[in-house]
Amino acid sequence: MTDILEIVRSQKLTYEQKVFSLAHAAEDILDVLHVPEKTKNYFEQNAIDNLFEGNAPYRPRYILLDYDKFIKQGSKFLQLDPPKDLEELLNSLMILYRHVPSITSFPVYLGNLDKMIEPFLEGYSDEDIKKKLKLFLNYLDRTITDSFCHANLGPEDSRAGRLILEVEKELQNAVPNFTFKYDPEVTSDEIAELALYTSMFCANPAICNHNLVKDTYSSDYGIASCYNILPIGGGAYTLSRLVLPKVAQLSKDIDDFFNTILPECLQAMGDYMNERVRFLVEESGFFESSFLVKEGLIHKDRFIGMFGIVGLADCTNILLREKGKRYGHDGEADDLADKIMNTISEFVTSFPAEYSPISNGHFMLHAQVGMDYDKGVTAGVRIPVGDEPENMSDHLRHSARFHKLIPTGCSDIFAIETTARNNPSAMLDIVKGAFSLGVKYISFYEENGDLVRITGYLVKKSEMEKFRNDEAVLQNTTHLGAPNYENNNLKNRKVRGV
């Protein structure tokens, strides 16, 4: 009750943020999941973490609507006919987005916008289209006040894609987070360079290795939330994470880590995730009541469970602290990290997951990005900030080694010198080289820009400063970004030249 009263009295939360916080507090009063005492103990030790999903699952964590189907058929529930022109399309999407749930209470996936918009551009001038896009994108930024929200572009070149990039460069919005799907066999150098040039002004878009991830599922994929690779027409039931440095700290030595603590934590988290999925599917009523299901925009058999890991670098360094070996710098450390990842991967690919046919009845590994309360926990499989290799190519080779086992998303972030704005072709060469090595996802931002990529999401430095000064801010991800930026020394990311 004290925590609830603090939410009510807060002067740092907007009305909307208070409503969401109070709803979450109400959910956490419930106790409906069957969780063994040993699992509860690992939660208390923070070795496993449910990422604030709440105690009573009543909607999937991430939903990726089939927007193409919506555009073709409209929505009987929302009383929307199929759109006939650009105005009707953008208006219908604005209405639909308001009704797409997720863990954030906002849509985490807005569709492949360029492909959705392109068929409706005939008869409009570029300037007229850009005006409409500005209104549309500003609406999204001001109403979806959580930057765990993605829109996708590419891999094809298109008029719509180019205009969206031009508008995004002007607007400097934090929402949506854009991903450009890049495939050297499909994507022109011109639009790829435009995407990278745009990212030097607004940290958007990030770049996905389309050729490497397009066959992850039997259905098409989308990028949602931070950089999550998930099936269209479905999404993710849940995402829990294994906090690897905490697992290491609970272990007596490396043998105890591999023989006892890690296996127990893996089993506990797998069982816990199954219990969340079971309740959501069998008891919550979501799939029986949602109009999204009834109209064929999502399907229960296209949802997966995301088995997250975080802090591989810190875990490795803890286990080898007596030898002084460091992840990303010493072969022995990287070999140990490789063994840890393969051990986890073998468990995840064999553990039976409830209601997950699209992933062949198993959970799928994910490189989780971290939380605002993390200290000494490096996102996913990244090298800690401030300890990056001097040579960017060495950094990318290391990334590729650890991206290969993670099907539902992993990424690396690079702060770039301002001069890169003058040489987008060189940036594209970096992307081509990284993707040829096996890097799955990469993002850039200009060292002095206002927009900064925290772990996978975007926050403005100016907004973080307001929050630190106890001012209310529009986007609740600023609440996460400000402490994360400080706790993990993100201002000290190595700035790369091009």
Side-chain angles (χ1 to χ4, degrees), residues 131-144:
K131 181 178 180 180
K132 297 180 191 304
L133 287 175
K134 286 179 182 177
L135 293 172
F136 174 66
L137 292 172
N138 277 337
Y139 168 86
L140 298 179
D141 183 69
R142 309 309 192 267
T143 59
I144 301 174

Side-chain angles (χ1 to χ4, degrees), residues 446-470:
E446 188 267 319
E447 57 178 324
N448 298 316
D450 190 26
L451 276 159
V452 60
R453 198 169 290 275
I454 301 296
T455 51
Y457 60 98
L458 295 174
V459 174
K460 290 186 176 182
K461 295 176 184 175
S462 56
E463 291 294 290
M464 288 192 287
E465 188 60 29
K466 289 180 183 177
F467 181 72
R468 292 189 195 103
N469 292 328
D470 293 333

Side-chain angles (χ1 to χ4, degrees), residues 312 327 333-339 341 381 397-406 410:
L312 177 64
Y327 178 84
D334 289 343
D335 288 346
L336 177 61
D338 198 85
K339 181 180 178 181
M341 284 303 303
V381 297
R397 287 188 181 90
H398 183 275
S399 299
R401 179 177 182 177
F402 293 96
H403 282 205
K404 64 184 178 182
L405 292 176
I406 306 173
C410 49

